[in-house]
Amino acid sequence: MPTNSEVEMSPAEVDAHLSRHETGVLALARDDAPYAIPISYGYDADDRELYLRLVSTPDSEKREFLASTPQARVVVYADDDDEYASVVGVGALKRVDIEELTPETIAQYGETQRPLFEIWADDKPDLDIELYRFAPEKLTGRTVVVERDET
């Protein structure tokens, strides 16, 4: 029978986890409707902020949720054999206007890894690429070790 050991991450371990990874899940909520999508992000450990580039089309559900300035959660997790680690950030997702960009924030967006290609059924001339900053009000992490019986 497996034995689990769960340990809360220190702030430094949370920062290291977010700095080491580049993908996660963004979950948004509006009224009683949830919405979750995979994301790529850049992380600034000094300010403890995530930087996201989000792409949507005019009729997308993503654009509807983003327009409502919803509460957000970002989950970044990793699975390495018998050790599982996850970090959860909770807070508001803020759209960044072009006028607010500085060389430092532009460098953070450069850390977000977009796929090298995207496949669309139809031509998408109205793609909207927006920049967002996620400064979580709460940022926690856990590591779980599963010790498996060798039988």
Side-chain angles (χ1 to χ4, degrees):
M1 183 125 206
T3 304
N4 292 342
S5 161
E6 185 173 331
V7 178
E8 188 168 328
M9 289 182 186
S10 69
E13 290 170 321
V14 167
D15 291 338
H17 183 83
L18 291 173
S19 295
R20 199 170 39 249
H21 299 282
E22 59 190 30
T23 61
V25 175
L26 171 66
L28 306 172
R30 181 186 65 205
D31 300 323
D32 290 333
Y35 181 74
I37 54 172
I39 56 153
S40 174
Y41 66 89
Y43 182 65
D44 181 348
D46 293 333
D47 292 331
R48 304 194 91 198
E49 296 178 337
L50 286 85
Y51 294 85
L52 310 146
R53 278 189 310 221
L54 300 177
V55 180
S56 61
T57 60
D59 58 344
S60 75
E61 191 175 16
K62 183 190 308 181
R63 192 176 285 189
E64 289 177 33
F65 269 86
L66 292 171
S68 69
T69 56
Q71 279 293 89
R73 285 183 190 257
V74 171
V75 179
V76 177
Y77 59 93
D79 174 359
D80 186 20
D81 292 324
D82 292 339
E83 184 171 309
Y84 305 91
S86 64
V87 170
V88 177
V90 179
L93 191 62
K94 306 251 191 252
R95 186 175 181 281
V96 176
D97 291 323
I98 300 296
E99 302 81 44
E100 297 175 33
L101 290 177
T102 65
E104 293 78 25
T105 57
I106 290 170
Q108 290 298 333
Y109 288 110
E111 295 296 316
T112 62
Q113 304 297 315
R114 293 269 340 278
L116 295 177
F117 62 90
E118 295 179 6
I119 300 173
W120 299 94
D122 300 313
D123 189 24
K124 300 289 184 188
D126 296 327
L127 286 181
D128 187 14
I129 301 172
E130 294 182 315
L131 305 177
Y132 287 85
R133 182 175 59 86
F134 182 67
E137 298 157 13
K138 184 177 178 185
L139 193 56
T140 58
R142 290 198 174 107
T143 302
V144 176
V145 176
V146 177
E147 298 174 16
R148 304 186 194 284
D149 289 338
E150 305 271 338
T151 53

